[in-house]
Amino acid sequence: MPINQELRVGIAGLGAVGKTLARRLDDGIFGLRLAAIAVRDPAKAADTVAALKRPVPLVTLAELAEHADIVIECAPAHLVAEIAEPVLRAGKTLIVLSCGALLDRMDLVDLAREHGGQIIVPTGALLGLDAVTAAGEGTIHSVRMITRKPVRGLLGAPYLVDNNIRIEDVVEPIRVFSGSAREAAKGFPANLNVVVALALAGVGPDDTQLEIWADPELTRNTHLIEVDSDAASFSMSIQNIPTENPKTGRITAQSVLAALRKVRSPLRVGT
Ligand SMILES: NC(=O)C1=CN([C@@H]2O[C@H](COP(=O)(O)OP(=O)(O)OC[C@H]3O[C@@H](n4cnc5c(N)ncnc54)[C@H](OP(=O)(O)O)[C@@H]3O)[C@@H](O)[C@H]2O)C=CC1
Ligand SMILES: O=C([O-])CC(=O)C(=O)O
């Protein structure tokens, strides 16, 4: 790819994250150009698409790979494989936000390897994955995360429904889950992608431990991470302001924008 040629970016899913990405890419990011968007319901996307300064086509999920060099998955988790396969088969780059879905489809990593493509899991609504991956160059002894969310950020999660855990009327914080990142990805597929990103950066989904609390007093999605390794011990926490989707923090889209900006930047900071 010649250095002065713009990379084309495709967006799969125009929800809380996708809309922000579309607007910000349309505003301009050095070396990149918004090239196509795939949505479920074109009528719902019409206003956002019409407001773009440089119009882009609405295409199917399968067509994104023909239109883009980098495709961003910001759609429901069950669509990850459908979005990923054509992109990786074409040797292109896929940015995955619903990364919990990758745990059952690690064959997609093999597909990327086979065709020279790449899957990027951005830091998303979390922080510090640079430090976790650096610690992984040595020996990590433990990774633990405690997530506290407002009740509306957890409602409807399959784990709560299957275990008959009612949180609608709680008046004080309750712990609703304690287990591994792998179990959390199954039980909270739309709420805890962050712990899967942490697991993939560090000690894997079976050894990354998580507690989830529903807290009626909270307005932000908060994550506290504790890592112990032979190079450093560190604690990190983040309090995410929700978007129009109460499950998703504002910083999620900004994390993708930061990752995109690095693709062509002559100065790159952080790992
Ligand atoms: N890794 C991380 O740190 C984080 C990951 N996430 C994950 O990122 C993903 C996106 O989050 P968010 O933007 O908040 O989610 P939203 O629910 O706001 O948006 C998802 C969008 O995908 C659309 N969609 C549904 N089916 C299709 C289809 N067949 N083709 C194209 N688009 C479709 C939906 O449309 P419609 O509404 O019309 O059905 C909706 O607009 C989620 O899976 C979420 O769990 C979120 C936060 C942090
Ligand atoms: O994990 C997620 O998918 C989202 C999340 O916790 C947040 O936005 O804080």
Side-chain angles (χ1 to χ4, degrees):
M1 176 79 51
I3 198 74
N4 57 357
Q5 193 169 322
E6 283 181 322
L7 290 172
R8 301 163 304 156
V9 181
I11 295 177
L14 209 54
V17 174
K19 269 191 259 180
T20 300
L21 293 177
R23 290 185 190 123
R24 296 287 294 269
L25 277 159
D26 187 51
D27 286 343
I29 292 186
F30 177 70
L32 303 177
R33 173 170 63 83
L34 180 62
I37 299 174
V39 298
R40 185 188 61 79
D41 178 358
K44 221 168 141 183
D47 286 351
T48 307
V49 174
L52 298 174
K53 294 185 281 283
R54 296 207 280 182
V56 298
L58 287 182
V59 301
T60 65
L61 293 175
E63 287 166 345
L64 275 174
E66 295 160 30
H67 291 261
D69 306 298
I70 302 172
V71 171
I72 306 163
E73 175 280 317
C74 39
H78 69 271
L79 295 172
V80 166
E82 185 180 341
I83 295 165
E85 274 168 11
V87 177
L88 299 174
R89 220 176 275 289
K92 294 181 173 178
T93 298
L94 179 76
I95 298 182
V96 175
L97 280 172
S98 310
C99 56
L102 286 179
L103 294 185
D104 282 340
R105 291 302 311 264
M106 291 308 277
D107 57 301
L108 293 172
V109 180
D110 299 328
L111 191 65
R113 188 180 296 112
E114 206 177 309
H115 295 276
Q118 187 179 41
I119 300 173
I120 297 177
V121 175
T123 305
L126 215 55
L127 77 171
L129 297 191
D130 51 352
V132 179
T133 51
E137 294 291 336
T139 301
I140 299 177
H141 304 306
S142 63
V143 180
R144 184 164 167 261
M145 183 164 115
I146 301 174
T147 289
R148 294 174 190 275
K149 290 203 174 202
V151 168
R152 68 179 182 286
L154 290 167
L155 283 176
Y159 182 87
L160 302 181
V161 175
D162 292 350
N163 292 286
N164 208 15
I165 302 172
R166 287 187 53 79
I167 56 170
E168 287 83 345
D169 305 318
V170 295
V171 290
E172 57 186 37
I174 58 162
R175 193 178 73 180
V176 295
F177 174 86
S178 175
S180 70
R182 191 184 298 280
E183 291 160 339
K186 279 200 184 358
F188 299 85
N191 318 75
L192 261 310
N193 289 292
V194 280
V195 78
V196 174
L198 176 66
L200 293 171
V203 292
D206 298 311
D207 291 328
T208 303
Q209 294 302 313
L210 175 72
E211 275 182 24
I212 305 174
W213 291 71
D215 187 336
E217 297 289 323
L218 273 188
T219 54
R220 296 184 177 196
N221 295 324
T222 75
H223 307 290
L224 167 67
I225 299 163
E226 286 170 351
V227 178
D228 184 35
S229 81
D230 66 353
S233 301
F234 45 95
S235 311
M236 318 177 277
S237 70
I238 188 164
Q239 293 89 40
N240 285 322
I241 300 172
T243 56
E244 66 197 49
N245 177 354
K247 301 183 181 77
T248 294
R250 283 188 196 171
I251 203 161
T252 311
Q254 291 178 212
S255 165
V256 176
L257 290 166
L260 287 172
R261 227 173 268 286
K262 284 183 183 181
V263 171
R264 277 286 168 87
S265 173
L267 171 64
R268 187 179 165 138
V269 180
T271 44

